[in-house]
Amino acid sequence: MADVRLTDIRKRFGSLEIIKGVDLSITTGEFVVFVGPSGCGKSTLLRMIAGLEDISSGELTIGGTVMNDVDPSKRGIAMVFQSYALYPHMTVRENMGFALKFAGMAKEEIERRVNDAARILELGPLMERKPKALSGGQRQRVAIGRAIVRNPDVFLFDEPLSNLDAELRVHMRVEIAKLHKALKSTIIYVTHDQVEAMTLADKIVVLRAGIVEQVGAPLDLYDDPNNTFVAGFIGSPRMNFLNARVISSEAGYITVALASQPDVKLSLSAQSSAAKPGDEVSLGVRPEHFRPAGQGDADLVLDVDVAEHLGNTSYVYANVSPDERIIVEHEGFRSADSRDRLTVGVSAGSSFLFDSAGVRIR
Amino acid sequence: MNASRLFGTALQYAFLGLAAFLSIFPFFWMLISASNTSIDIIGGKTSFGDAFATNVTNFFTQVDVPLVFWNSTKVAVLATVLTIVVSSLAGYGFEMFKSKARERVYSLVLLTLMIPFGALMIPLFMMMAKTGLINTHIAIMLPTIASAFIIFYFRQSTKAFPTELRDAAKVDGLKEWQIFFYIYMPVMRSTYAAAFVIVFMTNWNNYLWPLIVLQSNETKTITLVVSSLASAYYPDYGVVMIGTILATLPTLFVFFVMQRQFVQGMLGSVK
């Protein structure tokens, strides 16, 4: 096990900069998840840590040693790929032991490590099969087993569950969490699925266009996002952003009125100097934070467009105005139909304020 | 089944029957001719005769069969193995390594497909003459080793090779050449099998270039020997057909042994 430190890491393809100066510190045993939309650079960053992509500038250290130009096999890492990347001409046993055999390890030691990993991952009956005779979940377990036998300092996972169906994904997610608990190893995990990020991570790194937008514990990002991007990305369904205007700004409170329904006014706790009356802002409200009418600080009238009934709850897609559509999580709204009118309560305490550039006003 | 559909099916079978006849008849004719005398063959006889044993005896009397077959096998197998190793390395390299010059160089390689062999014969002969390789088997093999078509074939097939396998192998500590030999070659074995069949047949049947560079009887291959029998002043067509049958057997054998992998390779190795 080892810590990983990235200092001003950059990646350029010609004149195009993909990773734009990432600083990150990952402590020993931590489960860190890189999350972000497609093309944000999260996989590139992971591949740079693995040594599969060159680092254009900056410094990468693993366990205190600079690894910029070190061969991938000498970095003390093991990687699990999205498509499993099992060697199709080898059996499960051969796949798992290949790297060790190649490194010249004694046959008995290889056998011991492979058998240990097979026991942990319950791969016993599959050991003599070729990858094509395995299901997706079994292949992924073999890929994890291949990483485990190397006893690496750092595990790297590149969207390992993306190719699995929904049920298996949930199962494997729990397996990976159990594995981390058992091995107590440092894990860097890439995903675009924020549910995976929230459930697995000790620390989430939210990336956008090669820049780290925010780093923090899952619930910290959920409760205290820095900007509209992080606020929108963390949480499902995503946070609603309502256009609003600042009415007053004094005594540690900023009062805003919605642009579409000026009667709806909320006073949020924030530094008064951060906004002045007349400023255009966004009011962020998560779908699950709407209250029944009369139970919030203000009531919002909505025209229901579509309602999705999931059984335990319903997601109501509704219009605040013809141009503003929001999602409301509404328990006990089973009979809702389109064109119904719905009134919901909004609380200042569970709402967020962002300036016109999308930066949080605290 | 309505009338138009019946007519369509009948037309399909008629076309397939004609294609089958055109493919099989030369073999059938070859077998019939091998069992007849030259006079019967010229007379247009289309049934089996009783001269097969005589023709075989005459062929083995006139031709040093072990030497000729050894020459052909040596040239075909060596040239095929070298062509496949060199061309697959090139195809792998063209697909895996990105550089600004890559597509330009690749275009140049493909451009060589447009140059007819007739235009290369004299320069190649001069090169062989200057290097003292005339009348050697190396002279036959050298020009065939870097095959633009096989390079193209391997590059196209390599597009289906998962790059994550290469990444996984790098993490496992393999160097590029080890990835090629330990991972790429076994994974792409159907592609190799298909290439082997194509290249082996081309080399075994190679006629024009060996005719130019091989001058002594000790170095000649089966195609040259059969051809020389056919171009004699009084050719014995029965004997020629025995030679043709023997010359066909190795390619048939290779094709039938590798038929499954050949079809897989043509469809794509990686599933």
Side-chain angles (χ1 to χ4, degrees):
Chain A
M1 288 190 288
D3 61 336
V4 180
R5 192 175 294 274
L6 288 78
T7 311
D8 195 27
I9 291 283
R10 289 172 189 273
K11 177 70 185 174
R12 282 182 286 271
F13 291 105
S15 59
L16 185 68
E17 196 165 56
I18 304 293
I19 302 293
K20 299 165 184 170
V22 169
D23 293 290
L24 191 63
S25 182
I26 298 165
T27 55
T28 303
E30 207 169 23
F31 196 129
V32 175
V33 176
F34 293 171
V35 74
S38 293
C40 70
K42 55 191 186 297
S43 284
T44 305
L45 192 58
L46 190 81
R47 289 171 61 80
M48 289 162 82
I49 295 170
L52 297 172
E53 294 281 355
D54 292 334
I55 296 169
S56 302
S57 67
E59 189 179 82
L60 166 73
T61 64
I62 298 176
T65 310
V66 177
M67 292 288 181
N68 286 41
D69 300 316
V70 176
D71 193 78
S73 62
K74 307 258 184 333
R75 294 189 179 202
I77 55 115
M79 191 158 172
V80 178
F81 295 87
Q82 182 178 348
S83 67
Y84 325 122
L86 300 176
Y87 305 127
H89 56 296
M90 297 181 195
T91 62
V92 169
R93 185 180 296 283
E94 288 165 345
N95 261 287
M96 287 170 72
F98 183 68
L100 307 181
K101 188 177 162 191
F102 207 79
M105 190 176 279
K107 208 173 172 186
E108 297 74 31
E109 178 62 9
I110 296 174
E111 197 66 16
R112 191 187 63 76
R113 286 200 191 187
V114 169
N115 288 339
D116 282 354
R119 186 177 39 74
I120 294 169
L121 296 161
E122 296 170 12
L123 289 169
L126 312 175
M127 294 305 277
E128 307 312 323
R129 287 196 201 171
K130 295 257 177 83
K132 68 179 174 190
L134 304 176
S135 68
Q138 289 168 337
R139 286 182 202 186
Q140 194 53 276
R141 269 159 47 209
V142 176
I144 294 170
R146 190 169 67 174
I148 289 175
V149 294
R150 298 186 60 187
N151 198 13
D153 294 327
V154 183
F155 282 93
L156 307 176
F157 287 83
D158 189 6
E159 306 209 30
L161 308 184
S162 298
N163 287 2
L164 304 179
D165 62 46
E167 197 181 334
L168 202 53
R169 205 179 304 162
V170 173
H171 175 73
M172 285 306 294
R173 207 167 67 204
V174 175
E175 292 295 314
I176 291 172
K178 278 162 66 181
L179 194 72
H180 179 237
K181 212 170 171 184
L183 300 176
K184 295 181 176 59
S185 43
T186 310
I187 293 180
I188 306 176
Y189 187 105
V190 162
T191 181
H192 62 266
D193 182 343
Q194 56 96 16
V195 177
E196 265 174 45
M198 291 294 284
T199 50
L200 288 171
D202 295 322
K203 184 157 86 184
I204 293 179
V205 179
V206 183
L207 287 146
R208 177 169 60 162
I211 292 169
V212 173
E213 289 286 348
Q214 194 170 352
V215 179
L219 290 179
D220 288 346
L221 296 192
Y222 179 85
D223 292 335
D224 194 16
N226 277 348
N227 50 44
T228 49
F229 179 78
V230 176
F233 203 84
I234 302 293
S236 179
R238 71 196 304 271
M239 183 186 280
N240 300 295
F241 298 103
L242 297 160
N243 295 326
R245 191 176 292 277
V246 176
I247 298 171
S248 66
S249 169
E250 55 196 14
Y253 283 92
I254 295 176
T255 305
V256 297
L258 292 192
S260 55
Q261 296 182 29
D263 295 345
V264 178
K265 292 175 185 164
L266 284 174
S267 292
L268 289 92
S269 168
Q271 278 188 359
S272 310
S273 58
K276 57 183 188 302
D279 282 357
E280 286 186 354
V281 292
S282 289
L283 183 73
V285 186
R286 294 196 184 279
E288 58 272 29
H289 288 161
F290 286 101
R291 297 275 167 267
Q295 292 185 19
D297 297 320
D299 281 348
L300 195 59
V301 180
L302 310 170
D303 288 322
V304 176
D305 196 3
V306 177
E308 292 177 341
H309 305 296
L310 304 182
N312 60 330
T313 191
S314 297
Y315 291 121
V316 181
Y317 295 78
N319 294 314
V320 185
S321 69
D323 303 328
E324 272 186 305
R325 196 187 204 203
I326 64 167
I327 307 171
V328 176
E329 186 178 347
H330 199 290
E331 289 174 31
F333 194 66
R334 291 182 163 209
S335 60
D337 201 357
S338 64
R339 298 296 146 216
D340 276 356
R341 186 152 273 210
L342 176 69
T343 305
V344 291
V346 189
S347 300
S350 57
S351 301
F352 303 86
L353 209 55
F354 302 94
D355 68 15
S356 54
V359 178
R360 176 90 178 278
I361 300 171
R362 288 188 168 96
Chain B
M1 193 182 280
N2 60 36
S4 66
R5 207 167 153 195
L6 195 70
F7 178 72
T9 310
L11 207 66
Q12 274 180 17
Y13 276 94
F15 177 75
L16 290 172
L18 180 69
F21 176 77
L22 289 175
S23 305
I24 295 166
F25 183 74
F27 288 96
F28 179 67
W29 195 51
M30 181 174 78
L31 290 172
I32 285 179
S33 302
S35 66
N36 283 303
T37 61
S38 219
I39 295 163
D40 287 339
I41 297 165
I42 293 164
K45 190 180 170 194
T46 54
S47 60
F48 285 100
D50 53 7
F52 186 77
T54 316
N55 288 337
V56 171
T57 311
N58 287 344
F59 181 78
F60 275 80
T61 313
Q62 291 172 33
V63 176
D64 185 351
V65 176
L67 177 70
V68 168
F69 264 81
W70 166 244
N71 287 343
S72 273
T73 308
K74 186 175 79 176
V75 168
V77 170
L78 268 177
T80 303
V81 170
L82 288 171
T83 304
I84 286 178
V85 170
V86 169
S87 301
S88 64
L89 272 168
Y92 177 84
F94 274 123
E95 186 53 31
M96 290 297 182
F97 299 105
K98 293 173 177 61
S99 81
K100 284 177 185 167
R102 177 175 73 165
E103 294 309 319
R104 281 179 222 151
V105 176
Y106 186 59
S107 300
L108 279 177
V109 171
L110 289 188
L111 204 65
T112 62
L113 283 171
M114 315 291 168
I115 304 170
F117 184 69
L120 298 173
M121 272 190 314
I122 294 171
L124 276 174
F125 185 82
M126 288 168 71
M127 280 167 68
M128 297 304 159
K130 281 195 174 173
T131 47
L133 291 173
I134 293 293
N135 203 29
T136 65
H137 289 147
I138 297 172
I140 309 178
M141 291 187 272
L142 272 181
T144 66
I145 288 171
S147 160
F149 173 70
I150 300 298
I151 292 171
F152 167 78
Y153 172 65
F154 269 101
R155 185 180 180 185
Q156 291 307 111
S157 301
T158 305
K159 288 182 195 294
F161 180 74
T163 51
E164 284 194 343
L165 279 186
R166 185 168 168 241
D167 290 339
K170 280 184 187 171
V171 172
D172 281 347
L174 276 73
K175 303 280 176 234
E176 200 67 50
W177 68 269
Q178 291 167 321
I179 294 172
F180 182 83
F181 286 107
Y182 291 118
I183 309 296
Y184 177 84
M185 284 180 90
V187 170
M188 306 295 282
R189 62 182 180 276
S190 301
T191 302
Y192 276 91
F196 187 89
V197 171
I198 295 167
V199 180
F200 182 81
M201 283 186 173
T202 309
N203 283 313
W204 183 269
N205 295 326
N206 198 0
Y207 173 68
L208 185 58
W209 179 238
L211 181 70
I212 295 167
V213 287
L214 298 183
Q215 290 162 353
S216 70
N217 284 335
E218 288 71 37
T219 55
K220 281 187 176 170
T221 55
I222 185 79
T223 47
L224 298 185
V225 170
V226 171
S227 165
S228 65
L229 288 173
S231 57
Y233 197 70
Y234 291 113
D236 185 338
Y237 287 116
V239 173
V240 172
M241 286 304 164
I242 294 293
T244 313
I245 289 171
L246 290 174
T248 311
L249 286 179
T251 52
L252 279 179
F253 176 76
V254 166
F255 183 77
F256 281 117
V257 166
M258 302 181 115
Q259 193 178 15
R260 196 170 58 86
Q261 287 93 335
F262 177 77
V263 174
Q264 264 180 17
M266 296 312 275
L267 294 175
S269 276
V270 183
K271 289 277 180 294

